Amino acid sequence: MDISNRKIFSTLNPRNVWIPIILGLAIAVLLFMSDDQVSWENLGILFQPARFFPLLIAFLVIISRDAGYIYRIRTLTGERLSWKSSFYVIILWEFSSAVTPSVVGGTAVAVFILMKEGIPFGRALAFVMLTAILDNLFFVLFAPLVLWLSQGDVFSGIPDNIFDRGLPFFFWLSYSLIALYTLVMSWALLFHPRGFKWFLLKMTTLRWLRRFRIKANQQGDEMIIASQELRGKPLDYWLKIICATIFVWVARYLMLNSVMAAYVDLSWGQHLLTFGKQLIMWIVMLISPTPGSSGTAEFFFQQFFQSLLGEYTFGISLLWRLLSYYPYLFLGAVFLPRWIQRVFFKKNVEEVLKEEKDKI
């Protein structure tokens, strides 16, 4: 895993915020110009009076979700991180996710941030990997439940032409791959890391995979180190982080439900349908090649929710991204210089002063 300062700061660069912003705006403009159902009246929803209470709930949900993330990372680290450090970790982690494609992932960046906050490499790697597994497990467990409760209606109203073989086929294929990956990573991290390393090395004995052998050996060693850090954790540790994971993901999805409810009347069934459609859409955003799914999210939001929101679709999609995505671009750009000053300069000065004091 490459966690050199140069590599990480090529990602954690405030100038990177302009790439997803331009992409998102470009796709929004194209949608606006190419869709006959989109007009200035659709865009005007952002400036129309909205129900105050649902919008208040949306803001509270956003704050609660971030608080849940902060609580989870502090609990994951066994409270080795202070609340202030946990805040910086989450803001910068969200920022790195916003400026990199989902398919690339931000594991190295997250490990780097935790290490600079005083968490050793093995523990930092274990916490980041466990976070990814818990997030995937939420999807693996809750997606079938929501599909069953909605009786498959989450696939309704979505044009078939955007998926050659149909959305249900694409969803279940992606779901199976994510479930398999989560199962393998859980087995490797929590139960048998040495068996995982053996498997990687065995696979790279094949002629066309030999060039990956060094990398496979490194990843196997990292898995063993990470696994050792999680052994012997008490039951309440696991219960806390599992409950926190469920909380943050439910809050993430309920934010859109609240925004929709501020402009259109939704029944309880439609709220459940909205929640389920977001789970399905998450699959598409997960494999998006654009930074933070910028552009991709706006396009597929229209495909998924046009039948439910009608003329309000375009305006609500912009408001959804303005609340759920763009704030982390700006927060990251604001707090990144402060974090660099804090972990690279202030701590170094404190260490020098401590050394001088010890000499005296």
Side-chain angles (χ1 to χ4, degrees):
M1 182 181 296
D2 188 357
I3 53 175
S4 62
N5 289 0
R6 182 177 180 181
K7 175 68 174 178
I8 298 302
F9 281 116
S10 66
T11 300
L12 290 176
N13 188 334
R15 288 179 294 183
N16 290 342
V17 302
W18 297 110
I19 299 175
I21 289 175
I22 292 172
L23 273 173
L25 291 177
I27 296 297
V29 170
L30 287 174
L31 289 173
F32 185 81
M33 296 176 63
S34 62
D35 194 333
D36 295 335
Q37 298 182 5
V38 176
S39 63
W40 287 109
E41 286 75 16
N42 303 146
L43 182 60
I45 186 179
L46 298 179
F47 309 102
Q48 292 178 5
R51 298 184 182 94
F52 172 76
F53 186 69
L55 281 183
L56 176 62
I57 294 297
F59 282 107
L60 292 177
V61 165
I62 293 171
I63 295 172
S64 299
R65 191 204 73 165
D66 290 338
Y69 274 127
I70 292 170
Y71 170 81
R72 184 175 71 163
I73 194 63
R74 189 167 187 265
T75 303
L76 271 168
T77 62
E79 299 186 357
R80 293 180 180 89
L81 291 179
S82 65
W83 289 109
K84 183 177 182 179
S85 295
S86 301
F87 171 81
Y88 273 109
V89 169
I90 294 304
I91 292 298
L92 296 180
W93 198 340
E94 289 288 331
F95 174 72
S96 68
S97 299
V99 297
T100 55
S102 300
V103 292
V104 174
T107 301
V109 174
V111 171
F112 175 84
I113 295 170
L114 286 172
M115 289 177 62
K116 291 304 178 183
E117 289 292 346
I119 304 297
F121 170 75
R123 290 177 181 174
L125 181 62
F127 299 146
V128 172
M129 293 179 67
L130 182 56
T131 297
I133 289 173
L134 290 172
D135 289 341
N136 285 341
L137 274 175
F138 174 86
F139 169 76
V140 169
L141 296 176
F142 275 77
L145 176 62
V146 171
L147 285 172
W148 176 69
L149 290 175
S150 66
Q151 299 180 348
D153 287 344
V154 292
F155 297 116
S156 63
I158 301 170
D160 292 333
N161 56 2
I162 64 172
F163 296 100
D164 291 337
R165 300 192 63 178
L167 181 57
F169 171 82
F170 178 80
F171 167 77
W172 286 115
L173 175 63
S174 303
Y175 175 88
S176 300
L177 293 175
I178 292 174
L180 178 62
Y181 170 80
T182 304
L183 179 64
V184 171
M185 294 303 293
S186 301
W187 168 76
L189 180 64
L190 302 176
F191 301 105
H192 212 316
R194 296 189 183 277
F196 178 72
K197 179 180 179 180
W198 175 88
F199 173 76
L200 291 179
L201 294 178
K202 197 70 175 177
M203 289 293 294
T204 51
T205 57
L206 300 174
R207 185 174 59 183
W208 56 88
L209 294 177
R210 284 175 186 168
R211 60 194 180 100
F212 299 109
R213 190 169 181 80
I214 295 177
K215 187 70 174 178
N217 185 66
Q218 178 186 355
Q219 290 182 343
D221 289 337
E222 290 174 352
M223 184 65 75
I224 293 172
I225 294 171
S227 180
Q228 291 173 344
E229 295 295 336
L230 295 174
R231 289 180 180 175
K233 296 293 184 183
L235 179 61
D236 65 329
Y237 173 86
W238 296 104
L239 291 176
K240 287 178 181 178
I241 60 176
I242 290 172
C243 290
T245 299
I246 296 172
F247 175 83
V248 297
W249 278 99
V250 170
R252 176 187 288 269
Y253 293 144
L254 286 183
M255 190 277 289
L256 177 57
N257 287 65
S258 301
V259 171
M260 287 183 177
Y263 292 96
V264 297
D265 294 319
L266 298 177
S267 65
W268 286 108
Q270 289 173 322
H271 274 293
L272 179 62
L273 185 64
T274 299
F275 192 94
K277 281 180 178 288
Q278 290 183 78
L279 276 169
I280 307 303
M281 193 167 66
W282 182 77
I283 282 284
V284 180
M285 295 174 65
L286 186 66
I287 60 175
S288 171
T290 60
S293 300
S294 187
T296 306
E298 288 83 354
F299 172 78
F300 278 101
F301 183 95
Q302 187 173 7
Q303 302 295 324
F304 275 72
F305 292 102
Q306 180 74 49
S307 62
L308 184 62
L309 299 176
E311 62 180 353
Y312 295 102
T313 305
F314 188 74
I316 290 178
S317 71
L318 292 182
L319 185 57
W320 168 59
R321 292 293 276 176
L322 285 172
L323 293 176
S324 65
Y325 175 65
Y326 290 106
Y328 299 103
L329 291 174
F330 296 108
L331 286 173
V334 169
F335 284 101
L336 178 60
R338 300 181 184 182
W339 180 75
I340 292 174
Q341 177 71 24
R342 178 170 170 268
V343 301
F344 283 94
F345 298 104
K346 184 178 178 180
K347 287 188 176 181
N348 288 343
V349 171
E350 290 176 351
E351 290 174 0
V352 170
L353 291 176
K354 184 178 180 181
E355 290 178 359
E356 293 296 328
K357 184 177 180 181
D358 291 339
K359 290 180 181 179
I360 298 173

